[in-house]
């Protein structure tokens, strides 16, 4: 069996080690395409130039190109179908991917098959001075939620509870939306779009009815037309705010709710025509109203969940991405890991801004990881850094560290995290609360 060559867009050393521990990895050789700093450490994405550099690097490779993959959101996710088409490797079509990632187009196709499980919505131009009135004409009234047509994480998402908060959000959107809108429009130029979708480009936003409840993510894939959901991860927020506290696996949702989410997932992904690629879908379960809401579709595995699946099931679900890219049915185990439960915690501060004057040292981190077996701590800031320079943050807080932990149950998990978090020695100056 010859060694297969897999090219990973934005490959870093942390994920290389994970990939090399997958089932069958002894037969694979992983190559990086595009420096990881260009997709992790910046908010400037020159997509056209990145695609050309990736193309030149792949063309220069002296050997077979067996797969081109990624595990990141924008811009990586949207580059993959373009590169895969150029080099004849496997993934879903660009048009099916955009029916997930272009939030307006996605809501339109969702409405065709699961209209009772999505909120009321409309697209609007944030540069239109009459935008608020036009949203009202479409039947949406304050309060509602605003987000860009294409975003990453929770960036530039706003809860609108008054005209004042709308206009404050509009000011930020006008200033910052181009960072993703311009490169996203470059991707749209590669696709065949219906005229009414083409008219709503990356500079537009969505206004949506407020939905909420118990948030979770269905991780899945489509292999040769078959939609498979293999795990549900809960997304738990800090009290009274929109910022995530931790992701937890496996889900604590009632069985009948999980089954319905799996059914909805199969319906919508089949309708879109998504195929031979991984995805995840975020849902809410409103227990009071007895309703399930589809929040959004992401065209990748969640990188944040890799360690959770490894701890609980025995292998990172990057296994799914690699197997699909090689044309194989994913070889994903279940409940073969070291821990019955696992979580990724976000250690946050809720400042407007501040300068970090101290972060935990290597010895401190090593001691904490040793005290709680299975724990990984990844700092997101450095001493001397101003918090407002951190990329990919939500609109309400800053994540200073990511902490992955395993435990026997939820009680032990939360107790261990509280103990660890109390000893993470961050210090700040010039705090703006």
């Amino acid at each position: 069996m010859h060694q297969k060559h897999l090219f990973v867009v934005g490959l870093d050393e942390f994920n290389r080690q994970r990939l090399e521990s997958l089932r069958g990895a002894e037969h694979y050789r992983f190559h990086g395409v595009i420096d990881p700093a260009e997709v992790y450490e910046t908010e400037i994405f020159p997509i056209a130039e990145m695609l050309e550099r990736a193309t030149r690097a792949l063309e220069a490779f002296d050997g077979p190109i067996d797969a081109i993959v990624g595990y990141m959101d924008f811009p990586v996710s949207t580059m993959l179908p373009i590169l895969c088409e150029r080099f004849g490797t496997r993934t879903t079509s660009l048009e099916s991917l955009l029916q997930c990632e272009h939030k307006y187009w996605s809501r339109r196709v969702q409405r065709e098959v699961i209209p009772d499980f999505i909120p009321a919505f409309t697209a609007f131009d944030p540069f239109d001075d009459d935008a608020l009135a036009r949203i009202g004409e479409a039947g949406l009234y304050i309060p509602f939620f605003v987000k860009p047509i294409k975003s990453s994480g929770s960036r530039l998402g706003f809860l609108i509870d008054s005209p004042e908060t709308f206009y404050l959000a509009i000011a930020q959107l006008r200033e910052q939306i181009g960072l993703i809108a311009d490169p996203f429009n470059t991707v749209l130029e590669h696709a065949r779009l219906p005229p009414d979708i083409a008219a709503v480009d990356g500079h537009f936003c969505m206004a949506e009815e407020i939905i909420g409840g118990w948030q979770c993510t269905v991780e899945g894939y489509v292999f040769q037309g078959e939609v498979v959901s293999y795990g549900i991860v809960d997304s738990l927020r800090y009290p009274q705010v929109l910022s995530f506290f931790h992701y937890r696996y496996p889900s604590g949702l009632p069985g009948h709710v999980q089954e319905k989410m799996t059914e909805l997932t199969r319906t919508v992904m089949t309708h879109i025509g998504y195929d031979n690629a991984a995805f995840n879908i975020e849902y809410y379960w409103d227990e009071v109203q007895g309703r399930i809401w589809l929040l959004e579709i992401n065209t990748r595995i969640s990188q944040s969940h890799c360690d959770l699946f490894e701890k609980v099931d025995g292998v990172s679900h990057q296994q799914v991405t690699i197997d699909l890219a090689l044309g194989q049915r994913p070889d994903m185990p279940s409940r073969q890991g070291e821990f019955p439960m696992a979580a990724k915690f976000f250690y946050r501060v809720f400042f407007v801004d501040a300068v970090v004057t101290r972060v935990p040292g290597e010895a401190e981190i090593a001691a904490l990881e040793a005290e709680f077996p299975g724990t990984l701590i990844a700092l997101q800031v450095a001493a001397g850094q101003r918090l407002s320079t951190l990329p990919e943050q939500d609109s309400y807080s800053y994540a200073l560290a990511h902490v992955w932990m395993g435990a026997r149950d939820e009680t032990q998990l939360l107790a261990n995290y509280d103990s660890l978090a109390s000893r993470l020695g961050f210090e700040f100056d010039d705090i703006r609360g």
Side-chain angles (χ1 to χ4, degrees):
M1 178 178 180
H2 82 275
Q3 194 170 46
K4 293 187 180 295
H5 295 277
L6 294 87
F7 292 80
V8 185
V9 180
L11 178 64
D12 62 5
E13 192 56 34
F14 180 72
N15 281 287
R16 181 187 292 276
Q17 292 176 14
R18 275 190 175 149
L19 291 168
E20 290 176 347
S21 70
L22 298 179
R23 295 179 170 192
E26 66 273 17
H27 303 298
Y28 308 152
R29 185 171 178 188
F30 297 100
H31 308 267
V33 180
I34 302 295
D35 190 287
E38 295 187 60
V39 293
Y40 279 107
E41 301 173 14
T42 180
E43 295 182 341
I44 308 300
F45 304 119
I47 287 275
E49 191 257 335
M50 292 168 77
L51 283 168
E52 285 311 305
R53 276 194 290 116
T55 297
R56 289 197 300 270
L58 289 161
E59 287 175 342
F61 180 69
D62 185 19
I65 297 171
D66 295 295
I68 306 170
V69 301
Y71 40 77
M72 290 284 294
D73 196 356
F74 189 84
V76 173
S77 58
T78 48
M79 293 169 64
L80 289 174
I82 299 170
L83 291 172
C84 288
E85 184 176 21
R86 288 179 182 178
F87 290 92
T89 59
R90 300 168 190 82
T91 194
T92 197
S93 68
L94 179 59
E95 287 73 20
S96 65
L97 178 137
L98 289 173
Q99 287 178 64
C100 304
E101 293 212 8
H102 186 299
K103 294 187 188 301
Y104 179 65
W105 196 1
S106 190
R107 285 300 192 206
R108 289 274 299 269
V109 296
Q110 292 165 30
R111 189 169 61 189
E112 292 169 3
V113 289
I114 55 167
D116 295 335
F117 300 90
I118 64 171
F121 66 93
T122 189
F124 70 93
D125 181 355
F127 296 92
D128 177 2
D129 290 336
D130 295 323
L132 186 56
R134 297 189 196 284
I135 292 170
E137 290 168 2
L140 270 175
Y141 305 100
I142 294 173
F144 53 77
F145 199 78
V146 161
K147 54 189 174 183
I149 285 294
K150 177 61 196 155
S151 187
S152 181
S154 301
R155 192 168 182 274
L156 294 180
F158 300 95
L159 176 63
I160 306 302
D161 58 10
S162 67
E164 290 75 21
T165 56
F166 179 78
Y167 290 113
L168 287 171
I170 287 294
Q172 288 193 50
L173 286 162
R174 288 179 176 181
E175 180 181 354
Q176 300 177 37
I177 197 170
L179 288 173
I180 287 186
D182 292 338
F184 187 58
N185 284 346
T186 299
V187 172
L188 295 180
E189 292 171 2
H190 289 264
R192 297 174 293 276
L193 305 175
D196 55 339
I197 300 300
V200 182
D201 71 8
H203 289 92
F204 276 69
C205 290
M206 292 282 285
E208 291 192 346
E209 175 189 2
I210 300 292
I211 57 176
W214 184 328
Q215 187 172 353
C216 67
T217 301
V218 175
E219 293 279 358
Y221 62 85
V222 188
F223 176 67
Q224 296 181 0
E226 180 187 359
V227 181
V228 177
S229 300
Y230 57 84
I232 299 180
V233 179
D234 292 335
S235 302
L236 303 163
R237 298 180 185 269
Y238 282 85
Q240 310 303 318
V241 294
L242 294 175
S243 302
F244 287 115
F245 175 30
H246 66 280
Y247 303 144
R248 183 183 64 200
Y249 178 65
S251 173
L253 283 165
H256 72 278
V257 175
Q258 296 190 44
E259 290 170 8
K260 184 62 179 180
M261 289 176 176
T262 299
E263 176 192 326
L264 293 170
T265 297
R266 185 166 51 249
T267 298
V268 74
M269 298 310 289
T270 299
H271 181 64
I272 286 170
Y274 195 86
D275 203 7
N276 297 315
F279 66 85
N280 68 74
I281 303 184
E282 297 174 52
Y283 289 97
Y284 284 119
W285 176 48
D286 185 332
E287 185 176 5
V288 175
Q289 296 187 45
R291 295 195 66 168
I292 293 173
W293 300 102
L294 191 156
L295 178 59
E296 66 180 20
I297 306 172
N298 300 301
T299 57
R300 52 176 172 75
I301 64 163
S302 171
Q303 190 180 176
S304 287
H305 299 164
C306 289
D307 189 72
L308 310 188
F309 281 95
E310 186 171 341
K311 281 180 166 53
V312 175
D313 289 338
V315 68
S316 164
H317 64 158
Q318 287 167 320
Q319 187 78 51
V320 170
T321 296
I322 299 304
D323 286 342
L324 289 169
L326 292 171
Q328 304 164 179
R329 180 178 292 277
D331 181 21
M332 211 37 214
S334 178
R335 307 303 189 264
Q336 296 180 22
E338 184 179 354
F339 299 95
M341 179 170 285
K344 176 186 179 180
F345 292 92
F346 296 85
Y347 182 91
R348 297 183 183 273
V349 290
F350 293 85
F351 302 149
V352 172
D353 204 357
V355 175
V356 181
T357 57
R358 183 189 187 278
V359 301
E362 290 184 8
E364 295 171 80
I365 290 174
L368 287 169
E369 290 178 341
E371 182 176 346
F372 302 99
T375 294
L376 296 171
I377 302 170
L379 299 183
Q380 304 300 301
V381 294
Q385 186 170 7
R386 181 167 286 281
L387 294 179
S388 56
T389 66
L390 285 170
E392 299 296 328
Q393 301 297 305
D394 65 33
S395 300
Y396 306 96
S397 67
Y398 297 98
L400 306 185
H402 297 162
V403 181
W404 291 268
M405 305 184 83
R408 64 175 177 269
D409 55 29
E410 182 182 13
T411 300
Q412 184 188 54
L413 193 65
L414 293 173
N416 287 353
Y417 175 73
D418 285 344
S419 177
L420 180 149
S422 68
R423 286 178 278 166
L424 284 176
F426 291 94
E427 296 177 6
F428 309 91
D429 195 8
D430 192 24
I431 297 175
R432 303 173 192 175

